Amino acid sequence: MDESKSYAASQALDEVMIGGTVGEVVASENAHFAVGDKVVGQGGWQEYAVVEASQRGVLQKVDTTHIPLSAYLGSVGMPGVTAWYGLTQIIAPKAGETLVVSAASGAVGSVFGQLAKARGCRAVGLAGGPEKCAYVVEELGFDACIDYKQHPDLKSLSRALKEACPEGIDGHFENVGGLILDAVMLRTNAFARIAVCGMIARYNGGALPMANPALILVNRMKIEGFIVSEHMGLWPEALKELGTAVASGKLKYRETVAQGLASAPEAFIGLLKGRNFGKQLVKLI
Ligand SMILES: NC(=O)c1ccc[n+]([C@@H]2O[C@H](COP(=O)([O-])OP(=O)(O)OC[C@H]3O[C@@H](n4cnc5c(N)ncnc54)[C@H](OP(=O)(O)O)[C@@H]3O)[C@@H](O)[C@H]2O)c1
């Protein structure tokens, strides 16, 4: 949102807050869209959006026969594709490898672990609190989940990772950064791959130094950041797998729904404090 260097343009003042939306067409002057069509787009934080629908990619019609509309903002939308991309294009695991993901109960992390399991990997999550960890293992089917809040220092978190990953870590999907990344790096195997998706621990500002960069060399690691919107060519393949898995009930997800536009700022701030459980949505109307 702010003016610091980023991959996204900063939020302009006095403009509608940007945000992905799903909704229903209430009026149309475009032959491709009819009143009642369910659509996904970037409508922003407002109850109605007027868009130039002939512009490619602005508005996408979606089929809600087997997939709930809201899932197109989560597992069958941008967050799902994000998990899919990091897993298949950066980590590219072999069956039997151990993969770790931070913010494991969230919109992206929950998909990552389930896709990893489906490829025969050991999936280990990190999440904040016993309730989220129980959900990650019991409902999402991860092999283990570490409550990082119980391990506030590097030594303790690294030991917990050693227990959960007895064969070491081959791939890591980073959503958080800081202490979690440092602890994971200590447990990586040679030729480990780290997909850097997010650094939520620093979204409120400040530096997030890496404790042990020499490990990149020692373990011949690949560390690659990515932005999912720069890989639109792969979205159809990802969405096919994700849509099929959600429609058949194989890919599970959870949502936290705030009611009304006025609740959006608080819901957004809640993401940075872990108050959401699964994909944070705001029901506008
Ligand atoms: N690169 C891309 O193209 C791309 C695309 C989409 C999303 N992302 C990134 O992916 C990450 C996950 O996004 P999401 O939408 O799936 O969010 P989410 O995981 O549903 O929600 C955010 C979660 O992050 C955790 N968290 C927040 N502050 C933290 C902190 N200081 N330390 C540790 N954990 C913290 C909390 O979970 P706990 O309670 O478990 O701590 C919170 O629930 C974010 O970093 C996001 O920016 C990147």
Side-chain angles (χ1 to χ4, degrees):
M1 290 170 65
D2 66 22
E3 288 176 328
S4 61
K5 186 172 185 292
S6 177
Y7 53 83
S10 49
Q11 169 70 35
L13 294 177
D14 302 321
E15 294 289 335
V16 174
M17 177 75 172
I18 53 168
T21 47
V22 289
E24 193 176 305
V25 174
V26 291
S28 172
E29 292 177 4
N30 183 301
H32 185 62
F33 294 94
V35 171
D37 281 352
K38 303 290 191 289
V39 287
V40 57
Q42 288 283 331
W45 292 20
Q46 56 186 342
E47 293 175 352
Y48 295 89
V50 179
V51 299
E52 179 50 74
S54 54
Q55 261 179 300
R56 211 170 153 260
V58 162
L59 212 57
Q60 217 71 50
K61 247 196 284 198
V62 293
D63 183 352
T64 54
T65 320
H66 302 293
I67 297 169
L69 183 59
S70 62
Y72 288 101
L73 287 176
S75 302
V76 194
M78 184 276 286
V81 178
T82 301
W84 183 96
Y85 183 88
L87 177 74
T88 65
Q89 307 300 302
I90 297 177
I91 297 175
K94 292 193 235 12
E97 288 192 324
T98 297
L99 309 189
V100 174
V101 58
S102 50
S105 72
V108 176
S110 61
V111 175
F112 178 86
Q114 293 179 86
L115 292 181
K117 284 300 295 174
R119 284 162 173 77
C121 298
R122 177 173 175 79
V124 175
L126 291 133
E131 206 193 338
K132 285 185 176 178
C133 281
Y135 165 74
V136 164
V137 173
E138 288 157 25
E139 289 188 47
L140 301 181
F142 283 49
D143 297 285
C145 186
I146 298 165
D147 176 2
Y148 69 86
K149 290 185 176 168
Q150 299 296 321
H151 304 282
D153 59 83
L154 188 57
K155 204 171 160 194
S156 169
L157 190 55
S158 167
R159 201 181 303 129
L161 279 163
K162 188 179 183 186
E163 263 171 46
C165 310
E167 313 271 302
I169 297 168
D170 302 298
H172 174 57
F173 189 98
E174 186 56 277
N175 285 318
V176 172
L179 181 69
I180 290 180
L181 181 56
D182 289 338
V184 166
M185 282 177 68
L186 285 176
R187 295 291 164 208
T188 47
N189 293 327
F191 306 107
R193 292 82 66 200
I194 298 186
V196 181
C197 170
M199 288 270 163
I200 202 165
R202 69 158 288 277
Y203 290 171
N204 274 333
L208 207 55
M210 185 183 274
N212 240 319
L215 286 169
I216 302 170
L217 171 64
V218 172
N219 284 343
R220 288 85 82 210
M221 283 159 58
K222 174 175 102 167
I223 303 186
E224 186 173 332
F226 71 100
I227 301 302
V228 72
S229 53
E230 290 177 347
H231 306 280
M232 295 311 289
L234 289 166
W235 280 50
E237 184 186 345
L239 288 172
K240 195 169 166 208
E241 178 177 348
L242 296 162
T244 307
V246 165
S248 65
K250 283 194 193 114
L251 185 62
K252 303 202 175 76
Y253 61 91
R254 187 169 172 145
E255 298 169 341
T256 295
V257 186
Q259 297 295 330
L261 182 58
S263 70
E266 198 51 44
F268 179 66
I269 292 164
L271 280 173
L272 305 173
K273 300 185 186 311
R275 285 203 288 260
N276 62 308
F277 197 156
K279 173 68 187 176
Q280 177 68 59
L281 298 167
V282 178
K283 193 164 196 305
L284 296 169
I285 43 177

